[in-house]
Amino acid sequence: MSAGEHTAPSSDALAGVAGTRFNWEKHVNRLLQVIGLPLIGIAVFLMIWQMGAASIQTSLGQFPGPAQVWDQAGTLVQEHIREREKAGEFYERQEVRNAKKLEKNPDASIKWRDYTGKSTFFDQIFTSLYTVAVGFILASLIAIPVGIACGLNESFYRACNPIIQVFKPVSPLAWLPLVTMVVSAVYTSEDPLFDKSFLNSAFTVALCCLWPTLINTTVGVSSVDKDLVNVSRVMALPTLTHIRRIVLPSAIPMIFTGLRLSLATGWMVLIAAEMLAQNPGLGKFIWDEFQNGSSNSLGRIMVAVVVIGLTGFALDKLMLILQKRVSWDKHATLR
Amino acid sequence: MQENYLDISGVGIEFPTDEAPFRALQDINLKISRGEFISLIGHSGCGKSTLLNIVAGLENATEGGVILEGKEVDEPGPDRAVVFQHHALMPWLTVYENVELAVRQVFKGKKNRAEMREWIEHNLRLVHMEHAVGKLPAEISGGMKQRVGIARCLAMQPKVLLMDEPFGALDALTRAHLQDSLMDIQAEVGNTVIMITHDVDEAVLLSDRIVMMTNGPAATIGEVLKIELERPRDRLALAEDAGFNHHRQQVLNFLYAKQKNPETLKQEAALGVAQESPALATPRATENKLSSEQAA
Ligand SMILES: Nc1ncnc2c1ncn2[C@@H]1O[C@H](COP(=O)(O)OP(=O)(O)OP(=O)(O)O)[C@@H](O)[C@H]1O
Ligand SMILES: [Mg+2]
């Protein structure tokens, strides 16, 4: 470079130096954008929250700031661990007791009881997830086939359309009383496989998960490339093969858009349904805490709020991963 | 050659529209022999695709009908395979699977697995695509996609192969390659073919007869030109051939002198000019009949 210092440096060398430095900068910039900006956003939010919380006095004491909420999260985890220990001890005692009984008298009738402690926060999360999964799958099993039929057959679509349009905007909570009454009237087995309250929540969720999937599937199926449909007609593919090999692959993106919308609404509705109907789950947890009205309640509710948000986010990501799995177009950008 | 292998008789079609129904085709009569290569040529929008779709069974004629080997055509089927302008390959299936989908359907119960495999590979070899069996359509070029589309149709062993501007979306060089391939395949397989094209050279090079359509609405067959050139035909030799150029001239004459593009007609009417290019106005010696409306 010494010779070139006085004259203009060769453009190659310039590009080389600038190239490496620029790349490095780009890397840092990207890192900053992907991790830095979200972190800044969160930090600002926490600060506003802290300041806002300090100035709100409720009848249950001061509104919890991030720190209190963090404490409560820890408490909830500990409570869960304690309950599990208790359960473990209970089963141990039971086993010892039964073993002794059998020792004395091998024919003695022994009883195995389930531990019936109170359900912890984490049990409630699990219940909610289970309920939303059942409702969502139930709805999808109905909505996807009906959507395919609507998309393939104009007449069927015209017949279904008014019903879809009328029921789509109904808040699922309006269904809740009806669902409750119908479930208790119809589901009267001696040894029920499911709790009634579980069925109530699941059906309510299903009722609101139906529509986005149904509508998006219909649109996806009816907008299959006309050429491809003609190819299928020329090959004289039977209807089922046609659906499997041509309709489904091309409608997959739309179907998944519908499924993700459904799952998101289902998750929102579930919490409300649990609160209203006293069905077990995160909604009930919030309601119980609210009724308890201890000084920790608001913090515990706030933990639930955050967990609900994170879970909803995780569910959506899960669907995205699933979509990537089943989609034929591995290069499509999904968001 | 069997006359009347494919008989298009009195075909007309009307599309319902918001105002008066739109009559696209009227009184189309054409008899095609087995193994014949027919080109359909005419200005854009005259109804070539519609006619092809009627033969394919994808569209239903309002009057008249199509009879193939003594049986009336009333629905689409693999005996009338269609090559579409834009390949129409399933983007989620590989080259092999695209052909397989057709073969499985057509030879269900007639060929076993190994035979099907052999047949699929044979057809891909015919179009020189055996090297790309595992690729997705997005991973091959436009010309290659069109080759696969042709292989898929050949694999159905159709009685009639219908092609709607099969090379229209390709560059000139690729098009020439595919035309040569098609002639080779035609020499080997001897399919009956109806091909729509906008390319006069292509029509003359490939066809036994060129069917020229009048402008719509109510389009019909204007003239039918028999191409009597020896096969195999070689594009380089033919470029200098008097017969070839004569035929070419006849088609051009029909298209640009007798059936002026409706757009240019409008322009000329606006400008008040109506002269004919003298080069194109040479009288033709053909065995063709003019439709009544043509003569008028
Ligand atoms: N489904 C339909 N409804 C109403 N009109 C139609 C329909 N299909 C075709 N047409 C009309 O029929 C005429 C012929 O159309 P067609 O597609 O057959 O033309 P074409 O000769 O294939 O043209 P191009 O060379 O541009 O492909 C056009 O005027 C078109 O507007
Ligand atoms: Mg066309």
Side-chain angles (χ1 to χ4, degrees):
Chain A
M1 270 304 271
S2 59
E5 241 153 42
H6 302 286
T7 62
S10 82
S11 64
D12 261 351
L14 197 68
V17 172
T20 45
R21 230 182 67 206
F22 184 61
N23 268 346
W24 190 76
E25 255 174 33
K26 212 163 91 178
H27 213 72
V28 172
N29 267 343
R30 221 185 118 62
L31 215 66
L32 211 70
Q33 278 188 352
V34 172
I35 302 174
L37 290 181
L39 279 182
I40 291 172
I42 292 171
V44 169
F45 171 74
L46 288 180
M47 250 156 59
I48 295 174
W49 177 8
Q50 181 68 51
M51 288 189 299
S55 61
I56 300 176
Q57 283 296 330
T58 70
S59 57
L60 293 177
Q62 201 186 42
F63 191 84
Q68 289 99 305
V69 170
W70 181 250
D71 283 348
Q72 286 310 318
T75 318
L76 284 170
V77 172
Q78 271 164 19
E79 275 174 19
H80 179 72
I81 295 171
R82 216 169 314 129
E83 273 298 309
R84 278 295 121 89
E85 275 169 4
K86 271 202 216 158
E89 283 163 16
F90 171 84
Y91 285 121
E92 244 169 54
R93 280 202 305 276
Q94 175 168 271
E95 210 160 295
V96 173
R97 198 165 53 233
N98 283 337
K100 268 188 196 157
K101 238 187 198 174
L102 280 180
E103 234 171 64
K104 274 189 208 152
N105 175 7
D107 300 329
S109 67
I110 55 170
K111 285 180 191 144
W112 294 98
R113 287 198 184 82
D114 281 338
Y115 179 70
T116 51
K118 74 174 180 124
S119 42
T120 66
F121 182 60
F122 293 91
D123 296 333
Q124 306 278 37
I125 297 178
F126 177 77
T127 311
S128 283
L129 278 176
Y130 180 57
T131 316
V132 85
V134 169
F136 172 70
I137 290 170
L138 191 70
S140 304
L141 286 180
I142 298 170
I144 294 178
V146 175
I148 291 174
C150 280
L152 287 178
N153 189 324
E154 181 84 22
S155 316
F156 186 68
Y157 171 70
R158 282 184 198 287
C160 291
N161 197 32
I163 301 167
I164 297 173
Q165 298 305 332
V166 167
F167 285 128
K168 185 183 61 162
V170 174
S171 162
L173 298 181
W175 288 110
L176 192 58
L178 298 176
V179 170
T180 311
M181 297 315 291
V182 170
V183 166
S184 46
V186 175
Y187 192 68
T188 50
S189 89
E190 277 295 296
D191 176 30
L193 194 58
F194 301 109
D195 281 343
K196 275 184 186 163
S197 58
F198 164 75
L199 288 180
N200 291 339
S201 311
F203 285 147
T204 309
V205 168
L207 274 173
C208 83
C209 282
L210 274 179
W211 315 113
T213 305
L214 180 53
I215 290 167
N216 279 283
T217 305
T218 304
V219 173
V221 169
S222 60
S223 53
V224 175
D225 186 350
K226 200 163 163 277
D227 269 2
L228 297 190
V229 175
N230 278 341
V231 169
S232 163
R233 289 176 65 199
V234 165
M235 291 194 275
L237 291 186
T239 312
L240 273 183
T241 316
H242 173 68
I243 292 174
R244 209 163 47 83
R245 303 303 297 271
I246 289 159
V247 169
L248 278 182
S250 44
I252 277 279
M254 280 303 276
I255 294 179
F256 265 90
T257 307
L259 286 176
R260 282 167 65 191
L261 281 173
S262 282
L263 189 55
T265 19
W267 182 240
M268 276 202 258
V269 160
L270 175 69
I271 306 298
E274 287 168 348
M275 276 173 94
L276 263 182
Q278 291 293 292
N279 298 327
L282 280 171
K284 186 170 186 312
F285 173 86
I286 293 177
W287 190 252
D288 288 348
E289 287 300 330
F290 180 56
Q291 295 297 325
N292 261 350
S294 83
S295 58
N296 287 333
S297 286
L298 290 184
R300 290 159 77 95
I301 291 176
M302 202 61 208
V303 175
V305 167
V306 173
V307 166
I308 289 169
L310 288 176
T311 312
F313 180 65
L315 287 177
D316 196 52
K317 275 277 171 283
L318 205 71
M319 289 302 291
L320 210 60
I321 292 169
L322 193 65
Q323 176 171 9
K324 279 199 182 135
R325 265 285 172 82
V326 298
S327 163
W328 54 271
D329 194 353
K330 303 290 178 207
H331 303 295
T333 43
L334 302 172
R335 45 179 113 245
Chain B
M1 271 196 192
Q2 176 192 345
E3 270 293 331
N4 267 358
Y5 185 60
L6 177 70
D7 189 353
I8 304 172
S9 57
V11 164
I13 190 167
E14 244 177 29
F15 290 112
T17 58
D18 290 340
E19 301 124 42
F22 177 78
R23 172 156 287 280
L25 294 175
Q26 183 155 1
D27 198 27
I28 305 260
N29 289 292
L30 188 66
K31 292 189 193 332
I32 299 174
S33 316
R34 185 177 206 145
E36 212 176 1
F37 195 117
I38 302 282
S39 284
L40 269 182
I41 203 163
H43 285 293
S44 181
C46 70
K48 304 180 295 294
S49 298
T50 309
L51 178 58
L52 199 83
N53 285 344
I54 291 173
V55 176
L58 291 168
E59 203 108 55
N60 286 323
T62 315
E63 62 264 346
V66 177
I67 292 170
L68 173 60
E69 239 189 354
K71 261 186 65 192
E72 177 153 15
V73 166
D74 51 4
E75 58 176 9
D79 58 340
R80 282 154 286 122
V82 185
V83 177
F84 294 88
Q85 179 171 4
H86 297 285
H87 65 80
L89 298 177
M90 318 296 162
W92 47 89
L93 297 181
T94 62
V95 164
Y96 183 88
E97 289 165 340
N98 262 292
V99 181
E100 186 186 34
L101 187 61
V103 170
R104 278 245 193 112
Q105 178 59 27
V106 175
F107 296 100
K108 199 168 28 188
K110 289 180 216 146
K111 284 188 198 288
N112 63 30
R113 255 167 197 283
E115 284 167 341
M116 282 194 197
R117 180 173 196 90
E118 176 44 42
W119 178 241
I120 295 164
E121 281 165 358
H122 167 75
N123 281 287
L124 283 169
R125 265 198 304 274
L126 270 183
V127 296
H128 306 297
M129 283 302 296
E130 66 272 25
H131 60 280
V133 285
K135 291 208 168 133
L136 290 173
E139 297 164 350
I140 59 180
S141 73
M144 289 168 149
K145 280 181 232 182
Q146 210 52 274
R147 283 174 190 272
V148 178
I150 293 172
R152 174 172 63 186
C153 286
L154 290 174
M156 294 186 221
Q157 241 173 14
K159 290 177 181 161
V160 186
L161 183 60
L162 305 171
M163 306 207 265
D164 193 343
E165 296 181 45
F167 313 135
L170 304 176
D171 65 279
L173 218 61
T174 313
R175 197 183 316 163
H177 269 298
L178 282 186
Q179 287 162 356
D180 290 341
S181 287
L182 188 59
M183 277 195 288
D184 292 344
I185 293 167
Q186 193 56 16
E188 187 173 334
V189 185
N191 265 313
T192 311
V193 182
I194 304 179
M195 179 180 79
I196 296 177
T197 179
H198 279 136
D199 181 339
V200 178
D201 288 4
E202 176 174 290
V204 178
L205 182 67
L206 296 177
S207 315
D208 295 314
R209 278 192 293 164
I210 300 179
V211 173
M212 296 176 268
M213 292 183 62
T214 63
N215 289 331
T220 186
I221 294 176
E223 295 178 21
V224 179
L225 179 65
K226 210 170 173 79
I227 306 291
E228 310 198 55
L229 295 173
E230 284 292 310
R231 286 183 194 271
R233 296 174 184 168
D234 172 52
R235 71 174 61 246
L236 285 179
L238 284 178
E240 316 254 303
D241 186 276
F244 179 86
N245 284 316
H246 175 63
H247 286 312
R248 202 168 159 274
Q249 195 66 27
Q250 284 174 305
V251 179
L252 286 171
N253 188 31
F254 178 87
L255 286 178
Y256 298 106
K258 294 194 205 134
Q259 291 293 326
K260 278 196 178 160
N261 191 325
E263 301 302 318
T264 26
L265 271 182
K266 262 184 242 158
Q267 275 171 21
E268 281 176 2
L271 291 170
V273 286
Q275 90 273 41
E276 277 186 4
S277 150
L280 294 180
T282 47
R284 319 158 335 263
T286 53
E287 29 72 72
N288 310 313
K289 53 184 187 298
L290 289 160
S291 76
S292 50
E293 144 195 3
Q294 192 71 42

